[in-house]
Structure formats: C-alpha cells, structure tokens
Amino acid sequence: MDAERQRVLIFDDEVSVGRSIELMVRHNGRDAMAVTDAASFFEAILNWKPTHIILDLVMPGMDGVEVLQSLANLECRANIAISSGVGKRVLSAAQRSAAEHGLRAVEVLPKPFTMRALADFLAIDPQPVDGRSEEGRLTPHVFDPISAADVQGAIEKRQLRLVYQPKIDCKTQMLRGFEALARWEHPELGIIMPDRFIPLSERIGLIGPITDQVVDLALSWFSGVGSTSQLSISINISAKTLGHREFPDDLEFKCRLASIPTDRVILEVTETAAMDDELLALDMFTRLRMKGFQVSIDDFGIGNSSLALLARLPFSEIKVDMTFAMDATKSNEAKAIIRSTVDLSHSLDLKVVTEGVEDRETLEYLREIGCDYAQGYYIARPMSVAQVAKWMQTPRG
Ligand code: C2E
Ligand code: CA
Ligand code: CA
C-alpha cells in the first residue's frame, strides 16, 4: 500500500507526546492525527478509519486494555502499536491479550521510541480484509447518528437520568423494590432510550463512567426513599463491568456513604454476559456476594445456558426474560417455560422475578405457580422521581 494512503492515529493523553509522534509520522510521509481523549479517539476510528494506531497503554482515568477490547469489538483491522512507560512484561501481556481478542499485528514500541522503531512499524502493510478491501479498515457497521463525542458530552454534562420501575410480591402485591433504568436527556434530541446508548457506550469504552453515574444517582435517590425499609434497588451492570476489579469495593464505599445496607442492592447482569466469561462472572459475583450485595441474572431464558449450568455462579435471583410473560396469555409454551424456571429456581433456593407483566391474567398465573416477584407495565411503568413519589402515596389493592 502507498505510504501516503496510510493514516496513523495516535492516542496519548499528553499533548506534547502525541504532537511529537504526529510530526515523526508525517516526516515518514504518512498522514497523522493525535488525540488525547477516548471520545475523539473512537470518533476518529469510526470516521477517519486509520490504517495504523499508536496507543499509550497507561493513561490516567482510562484503561488501555479496555480500549484494546473495544477496538476488538469494533473488529478494527488497523495495525496497532502499544507504547507506554510501564515495564515490558505488562506490555507483552497486553499484546497477548489483544492478539487473543483478534486484533492484528499488535506491536510493542518502547517509550520514548526511535525513528527506526516507528519506521519498522509503519512498514507493516495492513492486510486486506477478506480480499475485498486493500486497506486496513473497520468492517462496515451500521452506526447510530449518536457519536462517541455525544456520549462523552452526556457524561461530562451529566445528562443521564434514572427512572424507576416497581417490583412487587406476586402473592401479596406489596412493593418489594425498584429497578433503576437509565435515560439520556438530550437538550436537542429529547429522551434517548438505553438501547441506543448503552451498547454504544460499551463498544467505545465509556460504559465505566456511565455505570458510575447510574450508581451514584440510584443510591442517592434510594437513600431518601427506602433504605430503612425492606425495599431493594436493582441496578443494571454491563458485561464490561465484570472485568472492573475495583467495582465491588467502590460500590461498597458508596453504599456506606449513603447509609444503604449492601443487601438492599441488587446488581442485574444478563444471562449472556454471565455466560460469556464464566470465570470473570464467578470472580465478580463472589466478591459482590461476600460484601452482602445480591446478584440477579437478567433476561433469563433467551440465552443458550441452562439454569443448572448457571447455578454454578453465586447469584441470588433470576429474572425471567419479559418475552415469556408477554406471550403467556396466548402461548402455553411460554407459560410452561415460566413455570419450570420457577420450579427449578426454587429447588436451587433462588428467588424468581418475572418481568414484562402487561395484564392481570399473567400476574394471576404467576401467583398461582408461586413466582416470587413481578414487574411490568400492568403494575407500573418506569417512573421519574416525582412520579414514583406520587405512586407510592396511591393506595393499591
Ligand atoms: P432490562 O434490564 O431487561 O429492563 C427492562 C426493560 O423493559 C426496560 O426497558 C423497561 O422499561 C421495559 N419494560 C418494563 N416493563 C415492561 C412491560 O410490561 N412491557 C414492555 N414491553 N416493556 C417493559 P428500557 O428502560 O428501555 O431498558 C432497556 C435495557 O437497557 C434494559 O433492559 C437494560 O438491559 C438496559 N439498561 C437500562 N438502564 C441501564 C443501565 O443503567 N445500565 C446498563 N448497563 N444497562 C441499562
Ligand atoms: Ca434489568
Ligand atoms: Ca430483562
């Protein structure tokens, strides 16, 4: 490939370092761009489509390994060089992990690096992608008009809000807790639903700060509502969070500050996330449970895992995927799945929540078969803080 058609993206939090690498690359006759933050980096990945990437692995407030994982998720085909002041062992571990994630030609550049090392790296030609393209590029994706920079902006400007959906006891219909669900209040686009920004944030490595804000908002609201009662607060966490070793300690610290007993807090992880990396899930769940938190398996029943397989993980509750409840009135099969999940869960001493309950008939069926808890539009929609306060004052029966 012609040198002048190569685009080299440099990600280093130090402006002067990035700038000097940029100059060295240009001196080598390639186009170069240096960025200092994750949002601009992923923006450039998606739109500028670099053929080569030079990445500083250790940057404050950013996890270089996570950046590599996100690149792998995006099926990035660029040649990647990682550099950093950290020891060679760490760099080569990162190199191995990147290769295992399917990233190609990951080189280690010692820092500060020489013109020679740089020239060698740039000489590696990007491989054609399944013969069709002659340049290292991302495989095509359908990208949402929401950009990485927008998500970064949402975090910085604190535009995330939470709505809360009640969870009730099927037998007594008493309120048992709430699930916190994220909404992005965009100044121009209005309310953006989580399906449009959570998966995107996971891909671009920004789910960490989003989860932090969700946790802060949920705990601060819950400390005023129900921490002294027996109510619980459920918070959704992403598969990515399973790899954040500091998460249980941070959460425990935040609960202590908010005077919330840890056993009132339920972390919801989807079945697919848990089974994706069972070892990581085992590690994270065990540490969370040791601190008293509860763990729930979300969207159960649509993955391929059996409950028996999952039961090796220390979770306390299972949430039957809402598609089953939504089909229950017209499908005996859906009913049978809910019933057998309830039976098996109880034999394993687990609580069962069925979500997506949209009518009285389904709630009655759940009560009949001994399902513990229910959630759904029939009971209440996810509500703003003000709406919840009103809802809690309204008598139900
Ligand atoms: P989920 O955790 O399975 O949440 C349940 C979703 O079903 C919510 O959608 C809720 O509004 C909706 N829902 C509840 N009851 C009913 C019902 O009776 N009928 C129907 N048709 N829908 C019902 P929402 O709020 O759009 O959230 C979508 C997904 O986004 C969530 O699915 C969860 O996976 C993810 N999510 C939401 N907030 C967060 C968050 O703070 N962090 C992470 N990592 N993921 C989140
Ligand atoms: Ca959930
Ligand atoms: Ca669910």
Side-chain angles (χ1 to χ4, degrees):
M1 175 190 221
D2 301 340
E4 61 269 21
R5 292 190 50 206
Q6 293 187 3
R7 290 173 301 280
V8 185
L9 180 62
I10 302 133
F11 187 8
D12 198 306
D13 65 305
E14 274 182 62
V15 180
S16 57
V17 175
R19 182 83 189 121
S20 66
I21 303 175
E22 196 179 4
L23 292 174
M24 282 165 87
V25 171
R26 292 223 175 102
H27 184 75
N28 267 274
R30 273 82 167 180
D31 202 358
M33 182 198 286
V35 294
T36 54
D37 63 283
S40 318
F41 177 70
F42 285 102
E43 186 79 32
I45 293 288
L46 300 179
N47 297 321
W48 194 59
K49 300 183 173 55
T51 55
H52 292 70
I53 295 168
I54 299 174
L55 171 71
D56 183 1
L57 205 60
V58 182
M59 293 175 281
M62 225 171 312
D63 183 337
V65 174
E66 207 179 308
V67 171
L68 285 173
Q69 281 174 6
S70 305
L71 286 175
N73 291 343
L74 285 167
E75 297 172 39
C76 178
R77 310 299 301 167
N79 288 331
I80 301 169
I82 47 181
S83 74
S84 153
V86 294
K88 238 185 130 49
R89 268 171 61 95
V90 178
L91 280 175
S92 57
Q95 186 181 24
R96 273 201 314 277
S97 124
E100 271 160 30
H101 278 97
L103 292 169
R104 54 187 304 271
V106 177
E107 302 290 310
V108 170
L109 286 179
K111 204 177 182 186
F113 52 78
T114 57
M115 214 44 165
R116 178 62 201 265
L118 179 68
D120 285 349
F121 169 61
L122 296 177
I124 309 170
D125 233 12
Q127 293 293 306
V129 181
D130 43 64
R132 268 174 288 148
S133 159
E134 82 311 355
E135 57 183 300
R137 58 145 173 83
L138 295 167
T139 43
H141 269 262
V142 180
F143 290 113
D144 207 286
I146 295 170
S147 71
D150 291 336
V151 178
Q152 179 95 1
I155 296 167
E156 278 162 11
K157 294 183 202 130
R158 305 205 158 254
Q159 291 168 346
L160 291 183
R161 306 282 176 266
L162 294 182
V163 288
Y164 299 91
Q165 187 176 36
K167 162 171 141 186
I168 64 162
D169 188 308
C170 293
K171 208 182 324 170
T172 64
Q173 310 229 349
M174 296 263 285
L175 175 66
R176 295 307 295 262
F178 293 93
E179 175 176 8
L181 295 157
R183 300 288 180 264
W184 172 4
E185 224 173 82
H186 194 285
E188 282 107 46
L189 303 174
I191 303 286
I192 302 177
M193 299 302 276
D195 289 340
R196 284 188 65 201
F197 66 91
I198 297 282
L200 171 71
S201 310
E202 289 174 342
R203 285 203 303 273
I204 62 180
L206 288 178
I207 192 67
I210 295 221
T211 307
D212 284 347
Q213 288 194 10
V214 167
V215 165
D216 291 346
L217 287 167
L219 293 184
S220 117
W221 172 77
F222 189 63
S223 70
V225 171
S227 59
T228 51
S229 65
Q230 292 302 300
L231 299 178
S232 61
I233 179 78
S234 297
I235 299 172
N236 292 286
I237 60 169
S238 123
K240 294 272 185 322
T241 308
L242 298 179
H244 291 175
R245 287 197 57 80
E246 23 358 292
F247 182 75
D249 283 338
D250 288 355
L251 189 63
E252 186 183 39
F253 180 70
K254 286 175 173 178
C255 285
R256 199 175 311 141
L257 282 185
S259 306
I260 296 171
T262 53
D263 63 356
R264 297 277 151 259
V265 179
I266 305 177
L267 285 322
E268 297 194 358
V269 183
T270 63
E271 177 193 356
T272 33
M275 293 314 294
D276 228 25
D277 194 333
E278 211 190 320
L279 209 59
L280 215 56
L282 178 64
D283 199 41
M284 177 60 80
F285 289 7
T286 308
R287 288 165 58 226
L288 286 168
R289 294 303 303 276
M290 278 173 8
K291 293 181 183 300
F293 295 108
Q294 298 185 60
V295 177
S296 177
I297 294 291
D298 205 350
D299 300 350
F300 181 78
I302 53 169
N304 295 320
S305 51
S306 70
L307 186 51
L309 198 69
L310 264 179
R312 288 208 296 260
L313 298 172
F315 56 92
S316 33
E317 176 191 272
I318 130 154
K319 271 188 116 156
V320 182
D321 188 73
M322 66 172 120
T323 50
F324 300 107
M326 285 160 68
D327 288 348
T329 50
K330 44 188 191 310
S331 153
N332 283 333
E333 198 189 17
K335 273 196 195 144
I337 290 170
I338 302 175
R339 180 181 216 132
S340 64
T341 309
V342 169
D343 292 345
L344 190 53
S345 302
H346 285 168
S347 70
L348 293 166
D349 228 5
L350 298 167
K351 296 286 188 199
V352 190
V353 191
T354 299
E355 59 178 342
V357 178
E358 294 190 344
D359 50 69
R360 196 170 57 90
E361 211 181 319
T362 305
L363 185 58
E364 233 142 56
Y365 176 71
L366 295 177
R367 198 175 48 81
E368 246 170 60
I369 62 169
C371 177
D372 302 283
Y373 311 121
Q375 220 180 298
Y377 291 172
Y378 176 67
I379 299 143
R381 288 188 174 249
M383 297 174 282
S384 68
V385 168
Q387 289 168 325
V388 176
K390 222 161 130 195
W391 184 85
M392 287 175 79
Q393 313 271 301
T394 320
R396 287 177 312 279

